[in-house]
Amino acid sequence: MKNLAVFASGSGTNFEAIAQACADGRLDARVVLMVCDKPGAPVIARAERFGIDSFVFSPREWPGKAAFETEIVRRLRERDVDLICLAGYMRIVGDVLLGAYPDRILNIHPSLLPAFKGAHAVEQAVAYGVKVYGITVHWVNADLDGGRIIAQKSFEYDGSDPEEVHRIGQKIEHQLYIDTIEKVLSL
Ligand code: GAR
């Protein structure tokens, strides 16, 4: 059985979908650590409900990215983590983490990459009047949202409400992330 770590900064619906899939046996894996850079984020209570260990930190209390990533890597190694899943972790991954887990970090992004990289992807797409939206799961490298794409799913929406796009997209995200993790773990 493989060990996963999930990184999140906010609500944590993707975290919960992954943790539930592990608990149900739909994924032959277990979530051994949840990492969160936002004390107070709702994802922390979700991890508690699943009995999953958390590392919650406030980046400004550390001397820099290398320092907190060194601590994250220590905790990942302690738990023999095989795969890291970024799930709404709104922070650029630095050299320490990338160097320790090359080609072992996934991210889910709410656009059809390479369109609309970075934060507020859905809002950017709505502002363009996009008609075909989508979700991407990709490997993480030093290029923001620029790593090799593993899976994508599109959907049509002809409107101007970003909240509606988020709602449609999130349902797709949960299944797409679980399916992609399964595929990656079987490689
Ligand atoms: C998800 O929609 C994910 O695609 C997005 O953050 C949301 C987190 O939701 N990620 C990014 O925008 C990364 N650039 P969740 O906390 O409910 O899983």
Side-chain angles (χ1 to χ4, degrees):
M1 185 174 290
K2 300 286 183 170
N3 291 335
L4 308 180
V6 180
F7 288 32
S9 304
S11 166
T13 65
N14 280 282
F15 162 80
E16 178 150 350
I18 295 166
Q20 191 62 56
C22 291
D24 292 349
R26 279 176 291 140
L27 271 179
D28 188 22
R30 61 188 154 222
V31 181
V32 294
L33 186 66
M34 193 284 290
V35 173
C36 177
D37 62 335
K38 288 271 183 319
V43 67
I44 299 163
R46 291 187 201 262
E48 276 165 19
R49 281 205 294 281
F50 278 87
I52 291 170
D53 286 351
S54 292
F55 175 51
V56 181
F57 67 100
S58 184
R60 60 172 179 273
E61 287 168 10
W62 293 77
K65 193 184 290 256
F68 64 72
E69 286 198 345
T70 299
E71 176 60 16
I72 292 171
V73 167
R74 191 184 70 73
R75 289 172 188 245
L76 295 170
R77 292 214 165 114
E78 217 169 54
R79 291 168 178 80
D80 283 328
V81 166
D82 299 293
L83 183 70
I84 297 171
C85 305
L86 307 185
Y89 181 68
M90 303 308 275
R91 187 161 293 281
I92 294 171
V93 174
D95 295 343
V96 171
L97 203 45
L98 284 171
Y101 288 87
D103 297 325
R104 292 278 86 190
I105 308 177
L106 294 178
N107 183 42
I108 190 157
H109 184 77
S111 77
L112 290 172
L113 288 173
F116 309 118
K117 296 179 177 184
H120 312 299
V122 167
E123 288 72 13
Q124 292 179 58
V126 170
Y128 264 90
V130 156
K131 306 294 179 239
V132 180
Y133 291 80
I135 306 296
T136 302
V137 181
H138 64 94
W139 290 113
V140 174
N141 63 13
D143 254 355
L144 178 65
D145 295 328
R148 193 159 44 85
I149 292 169
I150 308 164
Q152 288 186 310
K153 196 150 188 141
S154 64
F155 58 96
E156 292 185 18
Y157 173 73
D158 189 0
S160 56
D161 179 6
E163 287 310 311
E164 185 69 23
V165 179
H166 276 293
R167 265 195 297 281
I168 302 167
Q170 282 224 314
K171 290 203 189 97
I172 294 173
E173 286 193 349
H174 299 164
Q175 193 58 49
L176 186 67
Y177 216 175
I178 291 163
D179 292 346
T180 310
I181 292 167
E182 187 182 19
K183 180 173 156 185
V184 163
L185 290 179
S186 71
L187 291 178

